[in-house]
Amino acid sequence: MERKTRQQEAISLVLKESDMPLTPQEVLLRAKKHVSNIGIATVYRGLKRLLELNLVALVEIPGTPPHYESTEKRHHHHFVCRSCEKIFDIDGCIDGVDNIAPKNFKVDSHEITLYGICVKCLPDS
C-alpha cells in the first residue's frame, strides 16, 4: 500500500474544499497554505496520481487550461466566465437530457457547459 505524503494530502484537501475546478497553478497557491515548500512539479505528479486513483476528475473546456476537481462531488455541470475565464460549478442537472438525443439513441453520459459573465465581472447596473 502506497503511503500518502503531506503534499498529496494537501492537493487532495484543496480540491475537496474548492467550490470550482482549479488549474494546477491555483492548486499550488492553495496547497502552499498547508505545505509551504510544495512545488508545481509535485502538484502535477500529485494530480496525475489522483487521476489514476479516480479521486480527481479532469475538467476540459475548449480554450481554457486543464482544470481539476474532486470526484467526491455529485454530478454537476459548469459555467465559464468569458471575462475572467474562471470555471464555476453548477449544482445539479437539467431534467430530460435523454429527450434531446436523436431518436433511437441512448444517452449514457453528458456534459453541459454554460458560457457568460460571472457576477464579479458584470458591470455595475
Side-chain angles (χ1 to χ4, degrees):
M1 185 168 172
E2 185 177 314
R3 187 175 72 82
K4 203 171 191 184
T5 67
R6 286 182 34 231
Q7 291 87 347
Q8 288 172 325
E9 288 175 1
I11 293 165
S12 184
L13 180 64
V14 162
L15 291 167
K16 284 179 188 176
E17 291 178 342
S18 179
D19 60 353
M20 66 176 57
L22 301 173
T23 65
Q25 189 65 34
E26 291 168 328
V27 172
L28 173 66
L29 293 174
R30 294 179 186 200
K32 280 185 175 284
K33 295 175 184 170
H34 303 282
V35 181
S36 61
N37 64 345
I38 192 170
I40 192 67
T42 301
V43 169
Y44 276 108
R45 281 192 303 272
L47 290 170
K48 181 181 178 196
R49 183 69 181 132
L50 291 169
L51 279 167
E52 290 169 354
L53 296 171
N54 200 33
L55 298 173
V56 165
L58 175 62
V59 177
E60 295 181 290
I61 307 284
T64 69
H67 287 69
Y68 299 85
E69 65 185 1
S70 172
T71 55
E72 290 185 6
K73 297 179 179 184
R74 67 185 192 96
H75 177 74
H76 65 281
H77 300 288
H78 298 100
F79 179 98
V80 179
C81 178
R82 291 190 189 273
S83 180
C84 67
E85 299 180 351
K86 288 191 183 288
I87 300 173
F88 299 88
D89 287 345
I90 299 171
D91 192 32
C93 189
I94 61 171
D95 291 329
V97 171
D98 290 338
N99 297 330
I100 62 175
K103 187 176 179 174
N104 298 322
F105 283 54
K106 176 162 178 17
V107 175
D108 62 11
S109 69
H110 66 273
E111 295 179 29
I112 298 171
T113 305
L114 303 178
Y115 295 85
I117 306 297
C118 74
V119 68
K120 289 184 180 178
C121 293
L122 280 173
D124 291 334
S125 301

